[in-house]
Amino acid sequence: MLPKCYSLHRAIQIIHLSLGMHIDIISLVPELMQSAFAHSIMKRAQASKVVEVNLIHLREYASGKQKQLDDYAFGGGAGMVMMIEPIAACINDLKSKRNYDEIIYMSPDGELLNQKMCNQLSLMTNIIILCGHYKGVDERVREHFITREISIGDYVLSGGELAAAVLSDAVIRLLPGVLNDETSALSDSFQDNLLAPPVYTRPAMYQEWAVPEVLLSGHSANIDKWRHEQSLQRTQKRRPDLLK
Ligand code: SAH
């Protein structure tokens, strides 16, 4: 079952394939993300030039002898705040080289990330992702530079780096040419608001646990029907909210 918007989505993606996607991630600790981008699907996507990921150390934009990046919060209270100057210098420098579709701040009070947002972001050409640390960034950064704020869940992480890696992975795997079977991302959970059906591989019989017979039948219409029914049942049972 392909989502209704599939062909339009695909057409725009094909145009993007020739352009490639560019993601700049600004962070105090880019090392935290290196491994996430250096292996498996994310590595392959970069090697084949479908996406270019640029991890930027905010320290490069700090001024003064101290190279200060954070300071105490006005009004007092525990926790440091990331200063506006280095972030502004960094974003302005990036903007002088490219036009950005979105400048995203990872934040627990942002829009909750979902598959639809990942699909939308996968159609963009250039994005910046800003990772916060400590108590977060000076509010004026959010007011004047950020175009979108995204949370990966209702819990607080110590920094935006892992959240940025999660967001990037969810977007990059949708880019054409990244997954081996290009339609496989479309049969994953949450596309068309359904959870994915169960999957099996060899052996067909393990002890006395057999794989559902229909999957061994070779009858593709029956297999599609079974998978769709399983998806519906699973969604009804586990996430009825998706069906509303
Ligand atoms: N004081 C903030 C939390 C700061 S946590 C608050 O209470 O809202 C430090 C940084 O980690 C944030 O600036 C953000 O970039 C990142 N972060 C923490 N939790 C996150 C989440 N659920 N989703 C996305 N980013 C998150």
Side-chain angles (χ1 to χ4, degrees), residues 167-218:
L167 172 65
S168 304
D169 182 306
V171 170
I172 290 170
R173 68 192 293 284
L174 298 172
L175 300 175
V178 173
L179 297 184
N180 290 332
D181 171 359
E182 285 189 28
T183 59
S184 90
L186 293 167
S187 61
D188 284 334
S189 292
F190 305 112
Q191 297 289 3
D192 245 7
N193 283 339
L194 289 178
L195 299 181
V199 291
Y200 299 86
T201 186
R202 288 187 297 172
M205 182 68 85
Y206 175 72
Q207 297 178 355
E208 44 314 341
W209 305 327
V211 165
E213 222 162 279
V214 61
L215 296 177
L216 310 175
S217 69

Side-chain angles (χ1 to χ4, degrees), residues 38-68:
H39 303 280
S40 181
I41 289 170
M42 299 242 260
K43 177 185 179 183
R44 218 168 49 223
Q46 292 170 88
S48 58
K49 305 265 184 268
V50 174
V51 67
E52 197 175 41
V53 180
N54 185 21
L55 303 179
I56 300 165
H57 204 309
L58 194 58
R59 193 182 302 130
E60 290 167 30
Y61 292 89
S63 56
K65 266 194 221 133
Q66 309 282 324
K67 298 269 180 212
Q68 194 177 350

Side-chain angles (χ1 to χ4, degrees), residues 105-108 132 134-136 150-153 155-160 163:
Y105 175 50
M106 301 312 301
S107 184
Y134 317 118
K135 291 304 265 183
I150 297 179
S151 163
I152 64 160
Y155 41 82
V156 177
L157 302 164
S158 46

